[in-house]
Amino acid sequence: EAGTGVPVVLIHGVGMQSAAWEPQIAFLSETHRVIALDMPGHGGSAALPHNAQLSDFIAWLRFALIVLKVENPSLAGHSMGALIAAGYAATYPNTLAGVALLNGVYRRTDAAREAVIARAEIIRSGRFDLETPLARWFGDSAIDQAARADVARWLAEVDLDGYATAYGAFARGDTTYADRFASILCPLLAITGDGDQNSTPEMAEAMAKAAPRGKSLVIKGHRHMVNLTAPNAVNAALIQWLETTREGENS
């Protein structure tokens, strides 16, 4: 937690931890109260039961916000965190000032869903490699390689059971709340990179189109970890989104 003022809650992706939001925590805490949570089974948070699904992670978030006494926050999530954030916004539409979805997934193709479910089973068995996702997420630039080193360390540190549980919910959660985006009445921002093969520009645009106050941003030359590889562009988009949520309060 850092900063004071209107609250912004950040939820990282599967296999990561709250530290993955460092560029956003440093920037947004200059004007907001920023709370970065460790997803269950990651960082300092205990894991949920093995059969937990996306709705269980949303229930965890609801409980966490109540315990922390955070009211009417703006909520941003990355990857799995974006699934949680979108589902939360659809379930509790009157409790958020805004929702931002970074590198989120939305209505995968059947082939893509089968592939990610198969990977979930591999992770559950303990037989998985780190190099495949890292090669898919990062390019060769200096900033990509620096971010890759951090992400590789976080993936190596994650609790295997917590990772497997979260990944299973991630693999099966892309359609759970997809039909309910029309109920998300707060400003919605969907961001991804044009090189993200799994959280595609088409998904970001579809999510924005499905929400009454949705907008999308595709960052050129970047992939899955845009908040780390394009922090300036992401931070600028987030602060503009936060200004939009304030306009809604004052209208």
Side-chain angles (χ1 to χ4, degrees):
E1 182 173 349
T4 60
V6 177
V8 181
V9 176
L10 308 176
I11 310 173
H12 61 79
V14 66
M16 300 291 98
Q17 56 184 258
S18 55
W21 289 105
E22 191 279 331
Q24 288 68 51
I25 295 169
F27 180 77
L28 296 177
S29 63
E30 294 180 3
T31 53
H32 291 74
R33 177 190 178 197
V34 181
I35 302 162
L37 299 176
D38 282 335
M39 186 192 305
H42 297 66
S45 292
L48 294 178
H50 286 183
N51 62 348
Q53 297 302 313
L54 182 57
S55 59
D56 298 299
F57 284 83
I58 290 165
W60 155 78
L61 175 59
R62 180 64 172 167
F63 184 71
L65 295 181
I66 291 172
V67 169
L68 292 170
K69 298 181 180 179
V70 178
E71 297 181 357
N72 199 42
S74 294
L75 177 63
H78 173 262
S79 193
M80 169 68 169
L83 277 181
I84 296 171
Y88 189 95
T91 305
Y92 304 102
N94 298 317
T95 66
L96 296 180
V99 61
L101 312 175
L102 283 67
N103 301 96
V105 293
Y106 181 80
R107 299 189 189 279
R108 297 182 180 100
T109 64
D110 290 342
R113 187 175 300 106
E114 290 173 5
V116 75
I117 289 174
R119 178 168 171 78
E121 296 303 320
I122 292 171
I123 291 171
R124 174 60 71 189
S125 73
R127 299 178 294 104
F128 69 96
D129 71 285
L130 299 181
E131 289 305 312
T132 297
L134 291 173
R136 188 170 63 245
W137 293 347
F138 297 104
D140 298 325
S141 71
I143 193 169
D144 273 64
Q145 289 302 302
R148 175 176 174 146
D150 287 334
V151 169
R153 184 178 72 255
W154 294 325
L155 284 171
E157 293 174 353
V158 73
D159 174 77
L160 181 57
D161 284 341
Y163 181 38
T165 297
Y167 203 97
F170 170 71
R172 296 170 174 83
D174 61 299
T175 61
T176 305
Y177 297 91
D179 291 334
R180 296 171 59 181
F181 270 61
S183 67
I184 301 175
L185 303 180
C186 61
L188 179 147
L189 174 63
I191 304 176
T192 195
D194 67 346
D196 194 332
Q197 302 173 21
N198 300 112
S199 306
T200 64
E202 292 78 13
M203 288 181 179
E205 291 160 3
M207 286 187 282
K209 186 177 180 180
R213 302 175 65 188
K215 292 185 178 180
S216 63
L217 172 65
V218 177
I219 302 177
K220 294 183 179 180
H222 292 271
R223 301 184 188 179
H224 190 63
M225 304 297 296
V226 292
N227 72 301
L228 294 176
T229 64
N232 291 340
V234 169
N235 289 346
L238 290 177
I239 205 69
Q240 185 176 25
W241 160 70
L242 288 168
E243 290 171 356
T244 302
T245 68
R246 296 293 293 169
E247 291 169 4
E249 289 182 6
N250 297 327
S251 62

